[in-house]
Every structure is written in structure tokens, then in C-alpha cells.
Amino acid sequence: MRAVLPGKPAAKLQAISTALWNSRQIIAYISGNGLIILGGPHDVLQTIYHEEEEELVAVTIDEVSGRIAACTEKLVYVYKPYGQDEGALKWSLQCTLTPDTNETPLATLSWGIEEEVLTGASALELHATNNRAERLWQKSLANPVKIAQFSYDASLIASTGLHDRLVKIWRRLSYGTFDVRFDYAYLSHPTTVTGIHWRKPLHREQQIEHVLFTICADNKVRVWAAIDPHGLQILQQWAEINLVDSIQPRSISLAEQSKRRFAFILDSKDLRLATERAVEHASEQDKEHHAISHLTDIANLCPEVCVVLDDRGHMSAWGLENVGCKARKTTDIFNIVHTEGMRFHLGLFTGSLEDNVQLYPICGDGERSGFSLLVHHFDGRVDWLEGGLDKLFDPSPQKGRLQLECTWTGHSAAIKKVNRTVSGRALVSRTADGETIVWVQKGGPLEKTLQRHSMIDISEHIHRTCILQEGSYVILLHHDKVSLWDTREKIAIKVADYPYTMRGKPLCLILLPEVETDQSIAHIATVSSEMKGIVWEVIMPSESRSKEQRRHSQTVSLRQFCTVDLGTGDDLAFVLPVDPAGSAPVISGFLDTFARDVAISYTRSGVVKSWTAKVDRERRKIDWLSTSAVETGISEPSLASGSSIRKTALVDAKKTTLTIWDTRSMQLEYEEYFEGSGPIQDLDWATTPDSQSILSVGFPHRVIIYCQLRYDYLEAGPSWASIREIRLRDLTPHPIGDSVWLGSGNLVIGAGNQLFVHDKRVTLSESLIPDLRLSAHEKQLHDMFTVVSRLNGPLPVYHPQFVSQSLLAGKMSQMQTIIIELLQKLKFFTEGEPLDPLLDQAVDFFWEDNMDRSRTPAINRRTSYVDYTESEKPVAVTEEVAAALNEKLTETKVPLLSSQEQFRLADIIECMGTVEKHRRSIDDNAARFLLFFRQHAILSSSKHLEESPPISWREVTWAYHSDSQDILVDLVNRHFNSRMLWRHARESGMFMWMSDVNALRAQFEVIARNEYTKTDEKNPVDCSLYYLALRKKAVLVGLWRMATWSREQGATQKLLANNFQEQRWKTAAQKNAYALMGKRRFEYAAAFFLLSDSLKDAVNVIANQMQDLQLAIAVARVYEGDNGPVLQAFLEDKVLPLAAEQGNRWQATWAFWMLQQRDRAVRSLVSPIHILLFPPTSPVGNLHAKSFLTDDPALVVLYKQLREKSLQTLKGAAMIPPREEWDFVTHTARLYGRMGCDLLALDLVRNWEFLPPPPAASAPAPSDSLSSLPLSPASPLDGTAKMMGPPSPVRSRAPPSALNGYDLKDIDPRKMLRRRSSLVVADLPSPIRTGFTNGEQSSSNRTEKGEEQTQSKGPPPKAFQEPDANSLLDSFGF
């Protein structure tokens, strides 16, 4: 914790109590109905709130027992300490006292001996608290008591009443529980007594004369002592000090001198302790200084010290020696110091209760300088001043004698809401009863905390608040009016109010961003539950003026600017402003989807919309634009919060599940369920200087802080992580009211009366240290912004994630160069040296075309079979090179890599060496599969799992589209030592990606043999499903003939001997299958379904009961081939809906390709899957389908590869709307950026080739062409700006495609490619194919004259043109 604002201290004479208990300084003060106990300026030990709403009026600490007594006007609460030996000091309620006050409020408390408590109201009462609470003595008074205090030996009591000039001294005559008696005497004063103080003994057992100091309204301090113990009076006046005469500055005339005085008494005990601390903390140079010797000389006299202050910064200190002696000398009262320049800011509120100040010296705390001064201002502040007593009493001129360490303040009731400015340098907090305070964070010594700037005194209900000009003005929204307050002074002044009426309940106050930088004009909007709004204009003095000019400026006004209508409010749940997250309050003059958001709205059905707005002062209107709409599927959300950089957090109706969304890409980034933590009640966003997001999630007694992580599609890692947890239950029992981020990164939490300011330092968890890439000596990195920047941002080019994504993108040659360069660097690398993140490569190296290394001359490249020597620089990552580099990685700490990432990099390099060994015999897709299959195997073996999970559909798809499947099958078999079981086949996905059905059946038979022989007993049941899928019942019969050990042999042999072509035996097999299902032997039941020739039932059992999708597909492919009806139906009814539900585009494109629907296979990589199903369905509500993991950036690699593969895939690519392809490419570039692969994002947007429109042969210009479609929200493409209207976030018709308005018979999709490929396969259906053939023939025979005639038939239709690469780059700031 950085600072704490513990609460507003009560304006009471006994609101603060200090004590040195067991060598530990304890300070307690009261605030509202709360008792705050502190151990230092920033050390809150405990906060205790009372269930009764009555405010506390007094508090006192017993220095002997450590007990604390606090009282309301009727009750006294006594608390005892515990846990000191365990290092967790707390107080618990011991008992409650009920004095007989006669309806007069209690006003004072004091501790006596043996844990006795003195209470004062209309009577003085003495209560025992040690064994049981009981009243020992009571004495009614004529005047209600104001102050009553025991002397330190508890033999005397000094008391005085309201406006009383008499101090009554009570002398205790007897001790005990049954007969307590006092006599008393009076000490007369000329006017009202305002304060009393008993002298402290050096230690509790010391027998000293009683000395009483009284402060009177006549500005005099009187000293009373028992000069004559046999006299009629108990105490006699020993001396008096005139406070006015004590300070007489010579530089100011008598007429201008202030008559206001403040004083405190420093006992000789405290003086001695403070002097000892000053000497201990003094350096050798300080000890030679006159100040230390001066202080030592004073302390040797053991005087009591009276310190006098005025409101002009003057101070005078007087020593009183030999107090109580009968023969007082003139020299017994002497001046210690007289100085000026003491800036205590006393007496700011002349003539009011808030002008009162009480001073409490604290001495003896060894952790600090030895002397502290608490200044209790009755306007609701306690200043903690720190400094050595040698500096305070130094007679030489000196500045900064006491430094302001902190200020304790806050609210007097529970905080309900906290709002901040856009910059985060000021905030306003308010309570349920309307107490409103403006806080600012300023530079200088107090920049680490908040300073109270202004207070708004208002009794009306406040609905919403908005703070302007860094705390200079505040807008308050009430139920029927809006008011403007000037908060530049300590007490705010209402400037204007404006009544309003609107449909629905006002939900929020939104500060709209301005086009101009001058903040003299602000526009504030409110939106109602009916989506109707009002905008007010506030005119204020410009911040460019001087402070004095702004103070006297009267140009402050509030008026209605316009009304707005944002549509219907049906199903609307709430509208709220976004957290500014450090964004500037100024926007560009364009209203588009790139403008920063100002508000979000969410409906009861879970639709979240983000809004931006632009102020048009000339037309006096506000232009609103919905920048995004996300269907979250979360019904009745209870809480939401959005940031201006398109992040939104949403909480479900039960307040137990948190979801984080990227509204720009409409993706779910994170989901977490909280159980047993209480309801989620607060969400707040912050942003680092490099625009990384931080989210705080508030619960009743704790706050969890999350930060975003890089996307990780290879290991499907989370994109958010908890980096800090703040628990407040040890500091306060009150639940958290609200929290807000400051611009500096401090989190301010309001709980009860208090504001806790937490700094940016975080304690790193073990799970995050690997991601931070810290070495052992770097683990002192604790700054939150630095941690978040490390967890995000660009990666070095040798990072395993960058290498993996580059290999997927086909940049094998670049990665070979990078790995070899890393090896060369590590040969001469010593730990601690810097390592260039780009390994000294130029940036354009990463976006050059990946040249086919097989075409390079053999003389220039080394094959895998040539021995690698260390003296030469290798040209390829062979297995020898991989081994040499991995040896370096195991013994060298590589900069910017964690140890875990170094292991991953070593695995990737090892896999690259294996791929290089087979590089000449496998294609790129096979290399991708082999690379990540090896990584998957290494990762699975490191986790020591009994059964490894299957590889992802991404790797299955790469292998499926490979032309080297026979080599892959051989390599996978070798990996499993040629003993492949079905679990191995499922792990490798082999039966999903093998396209040759004959090879598939042969491999399935190998699986069958291995399943049969996997156990010593060789059970035919294990292989029944496989042999029956192969239709080899005879083999199975032979195996059963050898299974003489099985009890099922006879019955099974008898059953298998029958002819299952007959219906009766099919029925018998089905009955056996159902019986086996009842015994939960599902695999064997599926085998009997196959025996009855019921493939559909067998597939359903495998998929539903066994939950093995791969086995179901493999059985169907083996049993009836790839074109069988059961497989087709299973793909359409099971696989594709499952892919749509999970958002798995890899699975969907594979399934469509299996169904020979290659156009849909291409479209499923870009378009929503649900619109491609049979028939199209509505978007699913499954959150998993909306996850960011469904948008793998490698999809763009496969899309580019497949769309050029055949005529059918070209047709599918042409059917994708141009705007959709644009969004797909730019979204993928953002994904690369979020992964830390910015170079790959740059390569993508620089080199992407959009499909141009098909050539115009005879097609008329379509009426619904692409001429009105905005292709890019950022910039016009290829000179088509004049054809495009303003971008619209909502389409009212079906999206157009590049083939709209054309007859497919007249178009050859191959001509849509800039570089015509000879490898495009003609696979379109025959009717359309005929049209293409004619088109090809006419194209080949076309002459120049024919071309002119063709062109004269009509102008080419307005259609999509390929975007210019520069416009793509502009969208990403490159």
C-alpha cells in the first residue's frame, strides 16, 4: 500500500488519542461510526465499525494494558488487544458500558488504574472493566462535563464543563470495588477553560508531584502543582505563560500582528526520548552542529516545554524547570527558541468551529526521527508532521524544521461511488447521504497520495457525478436538475443549476470528447433508460489563463446544448461511460469506427454495444455512432465496464462469472468463475503508457488485478492473468464501496469512510515469472506497468512463439537463417551482454518472399547428410546444428527468454532438424505437420500423461492437404516404434488426414493386429470393432478359435458362424449390441452393430457413448469409403454443427473438403460457420465459439493456399464479400500484433493479394454492385474513394460478393489471380464447368479485334478492386 486516507476525523475535543504501549506507538481516532487504529503515518492496524449508525464522540488508549475505549453519546465500547506475539496486532470487543447520562450525551473518557474507565456527561462515572463491567462510582454535576482526565497515577481527576471557567480537581480517598470516594476542590480561571494536560512521569511507577497545565480562552497557559500539600487547595498555581506575549515578531508592527495562539505541552519524559532519538539519528557532522548540543543542554535540565504557535508561522518554545518547587526562581521559566517560517496552515477558517486546532506531540518511536506532531484540524484533517527535535529547537534560521509526512482525512460515512477525470489526476468521491469531496494528486512530496481539494456541502440526492478541468468544477446530476459547482476553493460554491425533463430514468453522465484542445468548453450528456438523452454545455475559464485570472473569472455557465435520440430502449439494461484508460479528452474531427469509445450499453439479452460521439458546435448537435455490437449470450448481465480501447468486462446475473471481451473483434478473451469469494461488485479499467489493458475486479473484501497476455494459439494459453490480489479484510471490516484507477497507475479503493491508495508494485507469482523472461537477479522487477509491458509487446525473432508462427507462415528459409545466426551469436556470448532482438537482421528480411531452397545450387547449401563442422558457418538447421545449438541453450541464459521458453526453443530447433532431414521428400504442409506433431509429442511426454491428447485440427488439416502423406504415415509409425495402437492413431489424427482409402484400410488393419496383440492374453474383443469395420469377419472367427481361455468363446463362435446377410441374424446381432450397451461395453456393442450391417448405429455409439469422434469417422471411412451416405450424414449432422458450436474453423474446413464442397471449405476459413450449414442456423450462444482461440492467425496461410488450389476454391473465395476478406486480413494482423509477432503482421498487410474482380465479358452492370460498399473504414483503395459513401457499421442487405451480377458461365475464376497458376485444378460441376470451358476456348482464340469488340459491349461493372498495400499499412501505424 502506498498511502491511506483513513477517514474524516470527528470535530471533537477527544477525537484522537496516542499512547506508547510496549514500545510501540499506537494512535486511535474516530471518524463517523468508525474507530481507526494506526501504528504510523501509513500503517493502518485496524478499522472497527459499529453496527449502530451513531457517530463516536471520544476515544482513549490505556498505556498500561493497550485497551482502547470509544464512546457514542450513550454507549462505551471497550476493546482489548490480541495477537501481538504473533505479529498481527488487533483489538476485539471486550465489553460494552451503558452510563446513566440522563439524556445528556457522553463527551469524555479517561483510563484509570486496574483498567478502570471514567466517563463524563451530566455526571462523572467510574466503571470497572477487568473482570466484569460494573459501575464503581457516580457523581452528578451541575454543568455537563466537557473534559475529564485522570492523572497518571489515577489519584486525581481534573474536569471542566461546557463554557466553564472552573476546573474541578477530584482527589480519590479510597480504592476498591465497593466504597469509592472522592473529595474535590476548584481551580478558578478568569474565563473559559479550553484544555487540560497532566504531566507524565518518566515511568509509570515513579512517584512525582502532580502538575496540571490548563489552557484558557484568555490566551494563557497556567501551571498548577501541589506546592502546599497541607493547604486548603489540592493544587496551587505555580506559574502562567502569556501566549500572546510569547510571540512578538520584530518585523511586523503591533497592529498587524495576529492575536491567535495555539499551544501544546511537551513533557520532560517525551523530551528525553526525543533527544535520545535525535542523537542516535545524527551523523558525525550533525553532532558537531550547534543544534544537537543546544538540545542536549536543554534535555539535561529535564524541563517541561510549552510550545506556542500562531497562524502566521511563528513559533516560541519555553522551558519550565523545577515545576512544583515552593521557591520558584525567575530562571525556572526560560526561552528555548523563537523562530518563524513554520507553515502549519493553522486557523484557515476564521470564526467557525472548523478553525479549531489541537496538537498532539509523539516521541519515542525508534523507526522514525524521534519526534512527530499530529495537527488535528477541526475541518476534517489530521496532519502528521515529522522531524527531529534538534531541528525544531535549533535557534539558528532554518527552513523545513518539520516535514508533512501525510494527511489523514476521508469521509465521515461509507463511500458509495468514486469517479475520476480523463487524465486520472483528480477524482470525486461521495457517500450515500451526499457528502462529496474532490481529491487531486499533485507533484512534490505528497504525490504518492491524494490531497483533499474541495468539499461540496449538499443535502439533495446525487444521482451521478462528473468532474471537469482536473477537479476545478463538478457536475452533479439529480433526479430533476443538473447543477454545476466551482470546486477551486476549500468549500465548493454552486455556480448554476438547470432543470430538465426526459423520458425514462437517467442512467449516466458522459463527458464527450472535444475536437479542440482548449478545455474551457465541455459537453456532458446523459442517456435515459429509453435511449433518449440531453447534452449540456459548460463554459469555464480557460486553463491557459493564470491562476489568479481564473480565480476572478466569472465566465462560468451551464446551458442545454441539444437532445439526442439513440433509438429504442427495448430490452436495455444500462448505459455507462467507458473508463478513459489514459486517453486524451480530445479526438480527431472524423466520426468513424476508429474514434475512441465514450460509452457502452448492454441489454438484458447480453448484447453489448460501444458508442462514440462527435460534438458539432456549429449545428449544435451531437453525432453518435455505434462502433461495435457483440452478442455475448449472457442473459441478464449484472455488471459491465468498458474501456476506450475496445475492451469490455461483463458479469453474469449471479455475479460469479467474469468474462472479458474484445469488442473490436467481437471475441471472448477470458472467462473465470468465482466460487466462495462473494459477488463481483466492481470493474475498473486502466491502461499502461503503451496501451496495454489492466482490469481490477472488486469483491466485497478484496480486489483482483488482471492484465492481458499475449495470445498463444499453439498451446491455447489464457490471454489474461491475475497479477495481484489486494485484501482489505485485515484493514477494515467494511465492504468495498467502489474503486478507481489514477493515471499514475495507483488503484484507489473506497471502503467505509476510508480511501486506500495502492501503488504499482506487484509481487510476482511463480506462474508469471516464466512469462516475464526474468533471470535470477532480475526478480526485483515489481512495477506493474513494466510487468504488463513484459507480458505483452513485440517478441525477439528467436522467441519460440515467433519462430513457430513464422514456420506456419511458410518462412522456413528466414527461420533457418535466424537459428543459425543465434548459434553464431551464442558461441561468443557471455551472460549479461545485450542481444539484438532482430539478431542484426534488417526488417525487410522478414517479409521477403520465401524462396524455395530446393532450387538453390547444391554447391551453396549443405544437405543434412554432410557432416557439420564447428569452424564453418552452417547453411541449414540439420540435426547436428540443432544438437550444437541446444547444447548452448542448456548452458547459456539467453536474454529476453525465460528458462521454460529456452526449453521450448530447443524442442522447436530439434524438430526443425528432423524436418530438414526429410526436407527433400516432403512438401511444406507435411513439414508443418511434422514440426508441430513432434512438438506435441515432446510436450506430452514432459507431462507424463497416461494417454496423450490428440493433436489439434490445425495439424490434421496441414497433413490432409499434403501430397507427402505416405512419408508422414511412415514417420508417425516409426515414432510409435511400429506398434501403433488406436490411442496413438488418435493422437496423430492419422485417420483424419489420410486421403487414400486403400492406404487407410491397410493402416486400419495394422491397428487391428496391434490391438489384438497388445496384451499377453490376446483378447479378440479388443480388435473386434476394427476387423468388422474392415469386413473381415473370417479373421475374427479365427482369432476366437484360438481364445480357448475366454468364457465367451463358445457363444461367440456359435454366433459368428451364422450368415449375417439374413435378417434374423442381423436382428440377433443388434439385440446383442443393445445388451452390451446396457453393460456399458460400448466398443464391443459398436462391433455388433457393424456385424448387423448397421453402420449408422455403430458410428452413433462411438461418437456419443465413447465420445471418440475420430474413431467414428475412421470406422465409417473404412467400412463404406469417403463417399458413403453414413459418413456424409455424420459430417453434416455431427461434425459441422460441432465445429460451428465450438467455432473450430479448422474442423469445419476439413469437413467441407471431405464433403467435396471445396468452395464452402474456403469460405469457412473467413465467413461465420453457421451461415454455411444445411440449412443456415443462427449464431450459437456457446461462449467457447466466441473465444479468441477460434481465430488462429494460421488460417490466413491456409486460406491463401486453398483459394488458388482449384476452380471450386476460387469460386468459394470469390463468394466472400470484399469487406469480409478485408476484415479477415486486418483482424489476423491484429492477432499477430497481440501475439508479439509484429513483423508477421507487417508482412501480411504488406504482401497480401486481394482477389480482383472477374473480367467483364458480357455481364451487364449490376444494380446492386459493390460501388456503394465501403471496403476500408480507414482509407480509400485503388482510387475508388469517389465511388464509396461513408462507412456504415450496420448492413441492411445481404453482403455482396465479387461474383454478384455475373453469369458464372462467362467467368473463369482463374483470371481473378494476378499471377495465373498452372496448378489450378478444374473441379467445378459439369454444367458450370462447360461454361468455363467455352470461356477458356474463346479466350485462347481471342484476337485484338475481338478484345476491342468485347470491350465495346459496355463499361466494366463497378466492383471490388484490390486494396493498395499502403492503405493496409496505414491502418496499423506502419
Side-chain angles (χ1 to χ4, degrees), residues 483-504:
S483 59
L484 174 64
W485 293 76
D486 184 347
T487 54
R488 293 174 292 180
E489 303 296 336
K490 295 292 183 181
I491 301 299
I493 303 171
K494 182 190 287 189
V495 176
D497 54 18
Y498 201 96
Y500 70 90
T501 56
M502 64 188 310
R503 287 173 50 192

Side-chain angles (χ1 to χ4, degrees), residues 412-428:
S412 58
I415 296 171
K416 179 181 180 181
K417 187 65 179 175
V418 185
N419 298 96
R420 56 168 271 182
T421 59
V422 173
S423 66
R425 292 193 294 269
L427 56 88
V428 57

Side-chain angles (χ1 to χ4, degrees), residues 364-399:
D365 192 346
E367 297 180 359
R368 286 180 290 274
S369 61
F371 178 77
S372 304
L373 182 65
L374 296 183
V375 183
H376 177 202
H377 303 268
F378 275 40
D379 64 343
R381 295 175 292 132
V382 175
D383 290 336
W384 181 297
L385 301 171
E386 187 81 26
L389 204 60
D390 54 331
K391 294 182 180 179
L392 182 66
F393 289 165
D394 187 355
S396 60
Q398 189 177 122
K399 292 184 179 180

Side-chain angles (χ1 to χ4, degrees), residues 278-279 282-297 390-398 401:
V279 174
S283 62
E284 293 298 328
Q285 184 178 1
D286 291 337
K287 291 180 180 179
E288 297 176 359
H289 195 267
H290 174 67
I292 290 291
S293 60
H294 176 66
L295 178 63
T296 306
D297 293 341
D390 54 331
K391 294 182 180 179
L392 182 66
F393 289 165
D394 187 355
S396 60
Q398 189 177 122
R401 296 173 184 265

Side-chain angles (χ1 to χ4, degrees), residues 204-236:
R204 196 75 183 183
E205 292 77 16
Q206 182 185 13
Q207 297 293 328
I208 62 171
E209 297 294 333
H210 295 106
V211 176
L212 176 69
F213 299 87
T214 61
I215 303 175
C216 194
D218 61 353
N219 276 331
K220 289 185 179 180
V221 173
R222 291 172 174 82
V223 185
W224 309 82
I227 301 173
D228 182 8
H230 304 292
L232 296 177
Q233 298 291 330
I234 301 174
L235 297 177
Q236 296 85 30

